Amino acid sequence: MTGTFQRLRSIAVVTAGLALATPAMAGQTLTYSEYGPERAILGTTLNKFAQDLRDATDGDLTVRITYGGALIALRDVLRGLGDGVADMGTVVAVSTPVELFNFRVGDLPMGSSDPWVGMKVMQELAATNPTIRREFADQNLRLIANFTTTAVVLICTEPLKTLADLKGRKVRSNPPHSFAFEHFGAISTSVAFTDVYQSLDRGLIDCAQTYIPSIIPYRHFEVAKHVTLLDFGQNLGLATAINERRFQRLTADQQAKLLDAADRLSVNTARLNIDTIASARAQLENSYGVTFHTLSPEDHARLLDAGKITVDAFLEKGDPAVLDQFMALQAKYRAELETEGYPWTRK
């Protein structure tokens, strides 16, 4: 019996040792929760990111993406990632207005509407600003890539040609843009972005804040045929985050390659957004019967002036230094774009 017990114990020790060694020897898979559909722009670039990371690590680090909020619902992503339900995911600041309040500086309707400029501003801000770094760290998260919705537009079931047309309209919009729309008589209605289609179709809302590259993937054009261009900022509080403890369990080489791939993900998403805007508009107009409207210069000036309401609301609770750095970075990257162009066009 004693000899048998010793042999069994030796086998158990060896087996345990092999089990402990396996994670270091075999490839690792990071789970990713994405709220949108795979056919959307972010779905396209996330798939490229997963392949890019696999290639860069020779299969040592892979990403398994779950789309449509099937793994974690959008409103629960921040907590779910922090608790390790998924290793990585797309975080939308407007869904977590308290926890990521200062990160929502990127949602203010000010600064450039260019996707690359917006992305670069938020990448540097999130990497260097102590207040925003702390907001993510408090949730056990690390921001590794930043995105943009592109410029905010309104899609409506009936034409919206002037600010006066906002009066009495039920509008699905996010703070801080909603504050400005309310100033002109809009009735703000809380609707998840994934529910915009049904809400427009059922008449629960008259208009929805959306973005030109999103209209076709989410098929909003089927239930609303009028888009009003605003030139009123972007939603930049949109990012890929990773569970900090999971990140720390990666090797130094894996961490470096993950961050490199995430940086390429940000640039690729900005580039695809830029390339898609013109073609999507043409397709919406020519194939789907969508009409585009533009505000008069006078109305646009009034809209920008109303945007000051959103800044005041941010400063009631936010860190002024975050806003100052945000505006300084806007100037920096606008100037870089004007003098050097996009990175993918430089020689």
Side-chain angles (χ1 to χ4, degrees):
M1 288 292 294
T2 301
T4 301
F5 176 76
Q6 291 291 348
R7 284 194 298 274
L8 289 173
R9 187 172 68 173
S10 297
I11 292 170
V13 169
V14 170
T15 302
L18 289 172
L20 289 173
T22 298
M25 293 162 45
Q28 297 189 52
T29 297
L30 299 171
T31 55
Y32 192 111
S33 178
E34 163 58 20
Y35 72 92
E38 188 172 3
R39 64 181 180 272
I41 281 181
L42 193 50
T44 299
T45 54
L46 281 172
N47 282 336
K48 181 175 176 58
F49 161 71
Q51 185 61 53
D52 186 15
L53 185 61
R54 178 190 292 272
D55 293 344
T57 61
D58 294 324
D60 185 50
L61 199 56
T62 59
V63 180
R64 185 173 68 248
I65 306 168
T66 302
Y67 290 97
L71 182 57
I72 308 175
L74 177 58
R75 65 180 180 276
D76 299 323
V77 166
L78 201 67
R79 183 174 68 251
L81 294 181
D83 291 343
V85 177
D87 299 315
M88 303 171 65
T90 303
V91 172
V92 182
V94 73
S95 299
T96 52
V98 175
E99 296 88 345
L100 298 180
F101 186 89
N102 285 282
F103 182 56
R104 293 190 62 203
V105 70
D107 292 342
L108 293 176
M110 55 198 307
S112 174
S113 294
D114 182 86
W116 179 80
V117 171
M119 178 274 294
K120 291 297 291 184
V121 167
M122 294 304 288
Q123 282 281 80
E124 184 168 340
L125 186 70
T128 60
N129 186 276
T131 299
I132 291 179
R133 286 170 61 90
R134 185 168 58 251
E135 283 185 338
F136 278 90
D138 286 347
Q139 308 304 316
N140 186 36
L141 298 177
R142 173 186 295 246
L143 184 153
I144 62 171
N146 211 93
F147 314 115
T148 170
T149 57
T150 72
V152 169
V153 301
L154 289 176
I155 189 166
C156 303
T157 54
E158 297 294 335
L160 193 151
K161 300 179 181 180
T162 71
L163 292 178
D165 293 336
L166 278 169
K167 188 172 182 178
R169 298 261 187 123
K170 297 182 297 253
V171 179
R172 177 270 174 196
S173 55
N174 298 328
H177 290 82
S178 60
F179 302 150
F181 299 149
E182 289 168 3
H183 180 71
F184 298 102
I187 302 168
S188 291
T189 305
S190 179
V191 174
F193 190 73
T194 48
D195 295 331
V196 165
Y197 183 103
Q198 297 91 323
S199 298
L200 286 168
D201 189 36
R202 296 173 184 172
L204 300 176
I205 57 175
D206 303 306
C207 300
Q209 174 181 329
T210 187
Y211 322 94
I212 291 176
S214 299
I215 294 173
I216 294 175
Y218 285 90
R219 307 195 71 80
H220 295 159
F221 64 87
E222 294 181 344
V223 291
K225 296 294 186 181
H226 297 275
V227 173
T228 302
L229 305 175
L230 300 173
D231 192 16
F232 196 41
Q234 309 175 63
N235 281 132
L236 294 166
L238 179 64
T240 286
I242 184 171
N243 178 286
E244 178 66 28
R245 286 190 291 270
R246 185 68 178 92
F247 181 79
Q248 293 301 334
R249 289 201 297 271
L250 300 176
T251 67
D253 182 63
Q254 288 173 331
Q255 289 178 359
K257 289 178 177 176
L258 173 62
L259 294 177
D260 284 345
D263 186 64
R264 290 190 292 275
L265 167 63
S266 295
V267 174
N268 288 338
T269 304
R271 181 177 183 177
L272 186 56
N273 272 317
I274 291 166
D275 291 344
T276 299
I277 289 172
S279 61
R281 175 171 176 172
Q283 188 176 357
L284 287 166
E285 289 179 307
N286 300 328
S287 300
Y288 299 125
V290 173
T291 301
F292 282 76
H293 308 281
T294 304
L295 296 177
S296 69
E298 294 76 17
D299 265 359
H300 185 244
R302 292 172 62 212
L303 183 63
L304 293 180
D305 191 58
K308 297 174 183 176
I309 300 169
T310 70
V311 176
D312 292 340
F314 174 82
L315 290 175
E316 286 180 6
K317 297 180 181 179
D319 182 351
V322 171
L323 179 60
D324 290 344
Q325 187 177 2
F326 175 76
M327 295 307 296
L329 291 172
Q330 286 277 347
K332 171 184 174 180
Y333 285 108
R334 273 200 307 264
E336 181 177 331
L337 178 60
E338 290 171 2
T339 57
E340 301 182 39
Y342 295 116
W344 53 90
T345 63
R346 300 172 191 173
K347 295 181 179 180

